[in-house]
Amino acid sequence: MKVWVDQDLCTGDGLCAEIAPAVFTLMSDGLSYVRDGGRVMAKTAGNPEGYEGRVPIPAGLDDLVLEAAGECPGECIFVGE
Ligand code: SF4
């Protein structure tokens, strides 16, 4: 399974990064981006973002990612193939 964030909908509250910091990170623009290890999926980091910046959910973190998606006030965390 993969996870991505639609930054157009992100409120920047940081809840996802609190719940699963290994997967979500806030950038200097105040929005959340997913990470694949040290690779942050943000255009400002030289990588695709949004739907194009999908990353595999690390082993054992599925529940935390789903919790973050469920709590996300912007409803902008997506999980799929
Ligand atoms: S929880 Fe949702 S709205 Fe809040 S920072 Fe994360 S992706 Fe953005």
Side-chain angles (χ1 to χ4, degrees):
M1 296 290 280
K2 294 183 176 179
V3 58
W4 66 96
V5 170
D6 182 345
Q7 283 80 26
D8 288 342
L9 302 174
C10 178
T11 69
D13 61 90
L15 199 55
C16 54
E18 289 180 21
I19 295 171
V23 178
F24 304 99
T25 188
L26 291 185
M27 297 289 279
S28 58
D29 60 4
L31 302 178
S32 174
Y33 295 83
V34 289
R35 61 164 73 237
D36 189 3
R39 186 171 184 236
V40 178
M41 305 309 282
K43 288 179 182 172
T44 54
N47 300 312
E49 62 188 37
Y51 177 78
E52 299 298 327
R54 293 173 289 167
V55 301
I57 299 175
L61 295 184
D62 302 70
D63 287 348
L64 285 177
V65 168
L66 291 175
E67 179 184 343
E71 298 287 334
C72 172
E75 299 183 358
C76 51
I77 297 173
F78 299 92
V79 174
E81 295 300 330

